[in-house]
């Protein structure tokens, strides 16, 4: 007798075979080569986090919290969703926007299609495929010495990365350059950072030159959960765009109309 998780994995596997273009013959013959390839794909998804069932408004717990991290970049313009494990209307709206962004049925209910898309988008360490912890911390190796615990700083940086992944996708999936993120208090002092800089909380990222342009980055950041945006025209920000999460909103990039 199979446990529920195994059943879910098999269902996921069958879906993966179909998604990979498997024919009905392939699904009817699970011992063929395509099935073992799909099995490897499922294993990769497992390496970070695997959801065990559908989540919808009213759901709660760690599975919801993990989902909220992944859809944090879809809060709607000027908003930010709570990463609190409670699936309310804001989470439902974020899931719906995520689904629309990737061409999935947009019903605000997170099921296998949504989770499979997330598995495609994440690395084994749970970072989105196009961003790394190393990019988000050019200060030290252990996230220590900031204004919050190392674990909190690192967790905040993970949310920041998922916001950047959403923004990157919305801007045509072109690379976004990240020149730094977390700073310990001493790293922040060394670069002349503001006394209460969000870099010391792991919330902030400094975006460098790229095809989007600094103003393009600042303008797009408004749609993806960044409550602090500093760009061209704001003192010290003509050569990068600073984006951060955290409470309160402060956006200023006068040269970009912000
Ligand atoms: Zn900055």
């Amino acid at each position: 007798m199979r446990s529920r998780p195994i059943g879910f994995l098999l269902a996921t596997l069958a879906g993966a075979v179909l998604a990979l273009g498997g024919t009905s013959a392939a699904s009817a013959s699970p011992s063929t080569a395509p099935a073992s390839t799909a099995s490897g794909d499922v294993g990769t998804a497992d390496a970070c986090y695997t959801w065990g069932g559908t989540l919808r408004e009213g759901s709660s717990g760690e599975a919801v919290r993990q989902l909220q991290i992944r859809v944090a970049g879809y809060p709607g313009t000027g908003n930010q969703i709570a990463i609190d494990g409670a699936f309310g209307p804001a989470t439902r709206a974020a899931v719906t926007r995520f689904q629309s962004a990737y061409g999935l049925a947009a019903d605000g209910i997170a099921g296998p299609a949504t989770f499979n898309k997330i598995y495609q988008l994440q690395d084994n360490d749970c970072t989105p495929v196009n961003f790394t912890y190393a990019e988000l911390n050019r200060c030290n190796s252990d996230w220590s010495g900031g204004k919050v615990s190392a674990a909190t700083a690192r967790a905040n940086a993970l949310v920041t990365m998922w916001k950047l992944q959403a923004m990157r996708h919305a801007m045509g999936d072109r690379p976004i350059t990240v020149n730094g993120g977390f700073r310990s208090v001493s790293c922040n002092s060394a670069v002349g950072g503001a006394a209460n800089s969000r870099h010391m909380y792991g919330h902030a990222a400094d975006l460098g030159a790229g095809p989007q342009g600094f103003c393009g980055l600042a303008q797009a950041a408004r749609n993806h959960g960044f409550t602090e945006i500093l760009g061209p025209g704001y003192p010290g920000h003509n050569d990068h765009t600073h984006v951060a999460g955290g409470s309160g909103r402060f956006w200023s990039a006068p040269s970009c109309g912000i």
Side-chain angles (χ1 to χ4, degrees):
M1 186 171 166
R2 290 185 168 119
S3 67
R4 181 184 163 87
I6 295 295
F8 173 75
L9 280 178
L10 289 175
T12 305
L13 183 127
V17 169
L18 291 174
L20 289 169
T23 62
S24 54
S27 354
S29 309
S31 62
T32 56
S36 64
T37 300
S39 177
D41 292 341
V42 171
T44 300
D46 278 340
C48 166
Y49 185 85
T50 299
W51 284 271
T54 297
L55 300 175
R56 65 185 73 225
E57 192 166 353
S59 297
S60 63
E62 178 62 13
V64 172
R65 202 183 68 83
Q66 292 287 339
L67 174 65
Q68 289 170 325
I69 293 168
R70 301 332 187 264
V71 300
Y74 295 92
T77 303
N79 293 325
Q80 180 170 233
I81 66 165
I83 311 294
D84 61 1
F87 197 133
T91 300
R92 183 190 63 209
V95 169
T96 303
R97 291 188 194 95
F98 173 88
Q99 291 168 329
S100 294
Y102 286 100
L104 306 176
D107 58 5
I109 297 170
T114 299
F115 295 136
N116 282 331
K117 178 53 67 179
I118 292 173
Y119 297 150
Q120 288 174 16
L121 291 174
Q122 71 186 3
D123 285 324
N124 291 348
D125 66 355
C126 297
T127 59
V129 290
N130 296 112
F131 298 94
T132 66
Y133 281 118
E135 286 175 303
L136 270 286
N137 181 357
R138 298 183 191 275
C139 163
N140 60 30
S141 60
D142 62 4
W143 302 82
S144 67
K147 294 275 197 181
V148 291
S149 73
T152 297
R154 195 170 185 272
N156 288 340
L158 181 62
V159 175
T160 296
M161 281 187 264
W162 281 99
K163 291 176 178 179
L164 288 172
Q165 188 73 29
M167 184 167 137
R168 184 185 191 279
H169 183 58
M171 299 184 82
D173 286 313
R174 292 174 296 179
I176 289 178
T177 302
V178 180
N179 287 331
F182 171 76
R183 296 174 192 157
S184 66
V185 173
S186 59
C187 285
N188 191 60
S189 298
V191 298
N196 206 29
S197 167
R198 294 190 192 188
H199 285 286
M200 294 183 289
Y201 297 79
H203 280 308
D206 289 328
L207 310 181
Q212 304 88 353
F214 298 132
C215 283
L217 293 165
Q219 287 154 355
R222 298 175 296 184
N223 302 323
H224 298 287
F226 292 111
T227 52
E228 185 173 81
I229 303 169
L230 305 173
Y234 185 81
H237 289 72
N238 287 332
D239 61 352
H240 71 286
T241 294
H242 163 108
V243 295
S247 59
R249 183 200 292 178
F250 184 61
W251 293 348
S252 183
S255 303
C256 312
I258 296 172

